[in-house]
Amino acid sequence: MERTRSCQSVQRDQEGHQASDRCCTPCPESGETEGRSNDQKVTPVVQQCRQDKSKSLQTATPPEGKVHHPERLRAAKEFVDEAVKMRKVFSVQGPYPVIRAALRARGWVEQRMHLPNCRARRRHSEEGRASSNDAGDSDDDDAFIFPPAFIQSRLVRNATVNFYWTNRRDAINSNSLQKEQIINHFARAGSFATKVGLCVNLRNLHWFDSADPDTFFPRCYRLCAQDEKHAFIEDYRRTACVSLLKYIAEKERGVQGEETSHSIQGMNQRKLSKQRSKPVVLSKMIDSALKVCQDFMESLEHRDIDKSLETPPTLTKEEWAEFIDSYHLVVHGRAEIDNSDHFVACCKAMLERLVAVCPQLDIDGLHNIWIIKPGAKSRGRGIKCAKHLDQILRLVDVDPTLIKESKWVIQKYLERPFLVHGTKFDLRQWFLVTDWNPLTVWFYKKCYMRFSTQPYSLDTLNSSVHLCNNSIQKHLRPSQLRHGGIPADNMWSDDQFKTFLSSQGREGQWQDEVVPGMKKAVIHALQTTQDLMDSRKNTFELYGADFMLGRDLRPWLIEINASPTMAPSTPVTARLCTAVQEDTLRVILDRRANRTANTGDFQLIFKQAAVEVPQYVGVSLLVEGFKIKCPCPLPPLRSFTRSAPKRRGSIKEKRPAADETKRLPKIKTQLKTTGSVVPPPSLLHLELPVPIPVETFTLRLPMTVKSTHLPLSAQPYPEFVQKRKSEVSEVCSEKDQCPALTVEIVVPKQSRPAATSTMSA
């Protein structure tokens, strides 16, 4: 019911604002959406609009100074003021009527990027003047009416836009946006939304997950990179060897006749007879193919590291050229070969070993077909299929611009896809990314299939058979040989496809294999590019992934498109594209206000834990800190058991421990001063250090020191220097009492009569 009301709102919006929408100069849709045809002259209209821009206000002014519809203007202003207060101003670039109608239904007001056509406004105003003149003084207010959407857009032309929806990533500079502004494009999405980016980044999947990209993404190389070009040539040659072994093994079982029935029927008989005339030595070819496969297996097991660099290759360049020519004669040209029954056992044994290490062995087929894609183009432009190595290399060397920018990508073609009534198709699957840190992915439950107009055949490599892009197939007439069950518009919904699987007895594989495989492929592709993306908040983006299904219904990711087309080109896309746009707004807007809001057919399939990102401080880095203070060194500890230092001369005999030390009596000192002079503190308490117990000396100190003269002024302590005989004041008078030691107190000569002090024991 909610979706029906929204569809009615879309219809009313398209009818009610038809004049305004027609007058807008639409921007061509990017990605896969095609622009307008060449017969529509948009440029002269824009030029006329610019010329009449200065007259727009005069043209919009009602005649005779009358103000028409004051109630409508007042109601519009009140509605706009409430929308600005609630931060509900949006801007849409491109033909997205569903988005406009859904936002207006939620009370949002649009700020148009392009004003309506000035010529149309002038025509309406002139008609209004004419009708007003014919009616005389009539108060016909309907003669001059602006669409309500245009009035609201004019009222919010200077307001801040809170929601942007554009069809191009570079339409809005995300760096200039405020934090609360919402935009529908992430910056730097080319790391996975381009053919080159997806090819390069998926190789780093082993750093993020234990999955193997070869299980969901066909082998891909950049031909303009020399190292990858050599890797592709090796892969092409090895695939030719494996295809030959598969051809021999399947011929014995009669399998290849079913696959190549179209090719055999359409083969030119004269060309076939010419190819059969060339001799082919099958035994030599199979022996060479087995050696190449054996070397490949050893390289996977790292058993080739002991080989010398001077070891010659398995096949020389000339031998490879001869092998490839013979391979084309056997597999493609179906040349006459001898009985190969005795080679079948060897081929099957090697294929059984390769199945365990090559997950793409089944989709490779027998014809070694590769698809070449220019990475700078979209909508299937410039894509070609080729199966000859020299032809592939010539196609790449044609465009020097693409070579310089390394834009050529070559990918292994799925030669054995799942077919519907003998017709090839691909699958468009939408998914929504609402945040990159933490990575948050929403998967859409609905999808649609796109069919080619011709029956599937490997006899021809025409794009009408092998490319399912709607931009290519819609210009082609369906073949009369195609099954009648394929619709004329070349599209199915997922429900129709599940009905077909049910008729084949494989309905359960859709939920068990197809859907889980697509989810895993999408998540793995996003994990490899998460570090390269801009994790701006209030940003989201809707992507469209293209898949193909193998014969076992395993999904294979082909590419991911940013800004997928939302054009209602068929009844299927008209219904599904409308639904996915409405559900996108449910996830982005409704769920923001209410976490339990309905999200439609979107399902949250992945949300990782948030990763702390270090704050960016700019290019110039600054390290701040402080110097650690050096702690004061402690005095060295003296051990009483350490040995005596070595000295020159004779050493006295040590005495017993009991007689080693004799404590000296403490000397009490009293100082009498005649003035205010305070002696240094060292003279108040004189204590002699305890002698080291190595040698013992007998010390005899004088008991009385008379007439000790001190300086008048308080001199600092260092001036009382000992052992200066020229400035000695008093010496012990009794020589017999102090024969061993003489204590000297140094006093300056000029301060002799200043003060006297008596020191007694």
Side-chain angles (χ1 to χ4, degrees):
M1 181 66 67
E2 184 180 356
R3 181 162 295 173
T4 304
R5 291 196 301 268
S6 180
C7 294
Q8 295 176 356
S9 176
V10 172
Q11 185 177 1
R12 290 195 303 268
D13 178 74
Q14 293 176 348
E15 294 176 357
H17 309 291
Q18 185 176 6
S20 176
D21 291 339
R22 283 198 306 263
C23 295
C24 290
T25 304
C27 295
E29 196 170 348
S30 63
E32 296 178 339
T33 307
E34 291 187 336
R36 296 186 178 271
S37 57
N38 296 331
D39 56 346
Q40 296 179 355
K41 299 181 179 179
V42 180
T43 303
V45 175
V46 177
Q47 294 178 353
Q48 184 65 28
C49 180
R50 292 176 178 176
Q51 293 176 0
D52 298 342
K53 186 174 181 180
S54 60
K55 302 179 182 179
S56 60
L57 295 177
Q58 298 178 0
T59 304
T61 304
E64 300 180 3
K66 297 181 180 180
V67 179
H68 297 290
H69 301 291
E71 294 83 4
R72 179 178 298 179
L73 293 176
R74 183 168 54 254
K77 190 175 185 304
E78 293 177 357
F79 180 78
V80 166
D81 292 342
E82 182 66 18
V84 173
K85 181 180 179 181
M86 298 298 295
R87 296 183 178 180
K88 290 186 175 182
V89 179
F90 73 95
S91 180
V92 175
Q93 183 189 52
Y96 293 101
V98 177
I99 298 297
R100 288 188 171 95
L103 289 174
R104 288 169 183 166
R106 289 172 169 81
W108 288 66
V109 178
E110 180 180 7
Q111 183 186 98
R112 289 186 176 270
M113 289 187 175
H114 301 280
L115 293 177
N117 194 341
C118 301
R119 182 182 299 176
R121 293 209 314 269
R122 183 174 58 183
R123 182 175 65 252
H124 290 308
S125 64
E126 290 176 354
E127 293 175 357
R129 289 195 186 96
S131 60
S132 178
N133 294 333
D134 293 340
D137 296 333
S138 175
D139 294 334
D140 188 7
D141 293 340
D142 294 334
F144 187 81
I145 299 176
F146 276 112
F150 173 72
I151 297 176
Q152 295 175 2
S153 179
R154 292 285 297 175
L155 293 175
V156 297
R157 63 186 181 274
N158 296 325
T160 301
V161 177
N162 307 110
F163 184 91
Y164 283 102
W165 185 290
T166 64
N167 55 2
R168 295 184 61 88
R169 185 176 298 105
D170 54 356
I172 302 296
N173 185 10
S174 59
N175 295 327
S176 62
L177 297 178
Q178 301 177 5
K179 292 183 179 180
E180 63 273 7
Q181 290 180 292
I182 305 174
I183 190 171
N184 70 322
H185 287 293
F186 286 101
R188 295 179 293 181
S191 56
F192 70 95
T194 61
K195 302 176 181 64
V196 177
L198 190 64
C199 171
V200 173
N201 290 297
L202 275 179
R203 299 171 187 171
N204 300 323
L205 180 59
H206 61 278
W207 297 108
F208 303 92
D209 204 298
S210 59
D212 184 7
D214 288 341
T215 58
F216 63 89
F217 185 68
R219 304 187 302 278
C220 189
Y221 302 94
R222 294 178 301 165
L223 287 181
C224 298
Q226 291 299 322
D227 54 342
E228 297 190 28
K229 182 178 179 180
H230 294 310
F232 159 69
I233 294 175
E234 293 180 1
D235 195 344
Y236 178 88
R237 293 172 175 174
R238 183 174 60 252
T239 305
C241 296
V242 177
S243 299
L244 178 63
L245 300 181
K246 292 170 63 177
Y247 178 83
I248 299 300
E250 293 179 1
K251 182 184 178 183
E252 188 266 340
R253 295 180 301 177
V255 177
Q256 84 284 355
E258 178 182 354
E259 175 190 356
T260 60
S261 59
H262 297 287
S263 300
I264 296 174
Q265 296 175 2
M267 180 68 67
N268 188 292
Q269 297 297 332
R270 185 169 59 182
K271 179 180 179 181
L272 181 60
S273 61
K274 182 179 179 180
Q275 291 176 342
R276 285 178 178 175
S277 62
K278 296 183 180 180
V280 174
V281 183
L282 186 60
S283 60
K284 181 179 178 181
M285 293 179 59
I286 294 179
D287 184 61
S288 300
L290 291 174
K291 289 182 179 179
V292 172
C293 294
Q294 179 64 29
D295 292 343
F296 175 68
M297 295 293 296
E298 292 180 356
S299 65
L300 293 179
E301 298 173 359
H302 305 288
R303 290 189 296 172
D304 59 337
I305 58 177
D306 295 332
K307 290 185 178 181
S308 175
L309 298 176
E310 300 178 356
T311 303
T314 306
L315 296 177
T316 62
K317 186 176 181 180
E318 293 76 13
E319 291 175 343
W320 270 119
E322 181 182 356
F323 178 86
I324 295 298
D325 292 340
S326 301
Y327 159 75
H328 287 308
L329 292 176
V330 173
V331 178
H332 299 291
R334 300 187 60 82
E336 291 291 343
I337 58 177
D338 299 332
N339 187 9
S340 58
D341 293 340
H342 58 285
F343 296 116
V344 174
C346 297
C347 295
K348 288 184 177 180
M350 179 57 68
L351 291 175
E352 290 178 359
R353 296 177 58 190
L354 291 173
V355 168
V357 296
C358 299
Q360 301 182 16
L361 189 65
D362 183 65
I363 66 174
D364 285 347
L366 303 177
H367 297 268
N368 203 6
I369 300 176
W370 295 74
I371 183 168
I372 310 167
K373 305 176 183 180
K377 297 181 181 180
S378 60
R379 294 177 290 172
R381 295 172 297 176
I383 297 179
K384 297 181 181 180
C385 295
K387 55 187 176 182
H388 294 279
L389 182 59
D390 53 350
Q391 180 186 3
I392 294 173
L393 299 180
R394 283 198 306 267
L395 288 174
V396 175
D397 295 336
V398 170
D399 195 340
T401 303
L402 295 178
I403 294 176
K404 183 179 180 180
E405 298 179 359
S406 300
K407 295 297 184 180
W408 279 111
V409 169
I410 188 165
Q411 193 173 37
K412 185 64 185 71
Y413 183 72
L414 275 72
E415 299 182 21
R416 293 177 172 177
F418 183 82
L419 303 178
V420 175
H421 299 307
T423 306
K424 181 187 173 181
F425 69 94
D426 66 0
L427 188 149
R428 168 56 60 89
Q429 176 65 57
W430 291 300
F431 65 93
L432 178 68
V433 179
T434 56
D435 200 349
W436 283 98
N437 186 22
L439 179 59
T440 308
V441 186
W442 297 78
F443 189 84
Y444 203 63
K445 300 178 183 179
K446 299 293 183 179
C447 59
Y448 63 93
M449 286 71 183
R450 305 176 296 186
F451 292 91
S452 61
T453 56
Q454 307 296 323
Y456 182 71
S457 173
L458 295 177
D459 180 33
T460 177
L461 299 180
N462 194 284
S463 59
S464 61
V465 178
H466 302 282
L467 298 183
C468 300
N469 300 68
N470 184 56
S471 58
I472 294 177
Q473 297 294 337
K474 70 180 182 180
H475 299 294
L476 303 176
R477 181 176 299 178
S479 174
Q480 296 180 356
L481 300 177
R482 194 178 70 169
H483 193 274
I486 307 299
D489 55 12
N490 305 320
M491 285 194 184
W492 264 8
S493 65
D494 59 329
D495 295 330
Q496 293 174 292
F497 182 71
K498 287 187 285 187
T499 302
F500 173 78
L501 291 179
S502 179
S503 65
Q504 302 292 321
R506 308 177 68 175
E507 182 180 7
Q509 290 184 266
W510 174 260
Q511 292 295 338
D512 297 339
E513 298 182 15
V514 179
V515 174
M518 291 191 297
K519 291 180 179 179
K520 291 180 181 178
V522 167
I523 293 174
H524 292 331
L526 299 178
Q527 284 178 326
T528 57
T529 58
Q530 183 180 7
D531 296 339
L532 306 176
M533 297 297 297
D534 183 12
S535 59
R536 179 187 182 273
K537 302 300 180 181
N538 293 324
T539 308
F540 68 96
E541 190 158 6
L542 181 67
Y543 300 98
D546 293 340
F547 287 91
M548 286 186 61
L549 302 181
R551 294 189 303 181
D552 56 352
L553 290 181
R554 173 187 290 184
W556 294 91
L557 177 63
I558 305 301
E559 62 182 8
I560 297 177
N561 301 279
S563 299
T565 176
M566 293 295 161
S569 55
T570 65
V572 174
T573 55
R575 176 171 54 87
L576 294 181
C577 291
T578 300
V580 72
Q581 293 178 79
E582 294 175 351
D583 293 343
T584 299
L585 295 181
R586 289 189 176 98
V587 174
I588 301 304
L589 299 180
D590 298 350
R591 192 172 180 272
R592 180 186 297 266
N594 182 11
R595 305 298 292 182
T596 62
N598 179 27
T599 58
D601 288 325
F602 271 113
Q603 176 188 6
L604 181 63
I605 62 172
F606 188 80
K607 185 174 182 179
Q608 65 178 185
V611 179
E612 295 184 2
V613 179
Q615 185 179 3
Y616 178 72
V617 296
V619 179
S620 300
L621 299 179
L622 178 63
V623 178
E624 295 183 354
F626 57 91
K627 182 180 179 181
I628 299 177
K629 295 181 179 180
C630 182
C632 298
L634 297 176
L637 298 178
R638 294 184 178 182
S639 176
F640 291 96
T641 58
R642 64 186 274 187
S643 59
K646 296 182 179 181
R647 297 184 182 180
R648 296 181 180 179
S650 60
I651 301 177
K652 295 184 179 181
E653 221 176 329
K654 294 184 180 180
R655 298 184 180 181
D659 300 336
E660 281 184 358
T661 307
K662 289 184 179 181
R663 296 185 178 273
L664 298 178
K666 294 184 179 180
I667 302 176
K668 296 182 181 181
T669 306
Q670 295 181 357
L671 183 65
K672 296 181 181 181
T673 58
T674 57
S676 61
V677 179
V678 180
S682 60
L683 296 181
L684 298 177
H685 300 282
L686 181 61
E687 294 183 3
L688 297 179
V690 179
I692 300 175
V694 177
E695 297 180 1
T696 305
F697 300 93
T698 301
L699 301 179
R700 295 180 181 180
L701 298 178
M703 302 303 294
T704 303
V705 179
K706 297 181 180 180
S707 302
T708 302
H709 299 276
L710 296 179
L712 181 62
S713 60
Q715 297 292 337
Y717 175 72
E719 291 192 13
F720 292 88
V721 183
Q722 297 180 358
K723 300 182 181 179
R724 295 179 60 180
K725 298 180 180 180
S726 59
E727 299 179 357
V728 174
S729 172
E730 295 289 341
V731 183
C732 180
S733 59
E734 299 178 0
K735 297 182 180 180
D736 54 347
Q737 296 181 359
C738 51
L741 178 64
T742 303
V743 178
E744 301 177 356
I745 299 177
V746 180
V747 180
K749 293 181 179 181
Q750 60 273 16
S751 60
R752 181 181 300 270
T756 60
S757 60
T758 305
M759 185 181 308
S760 61

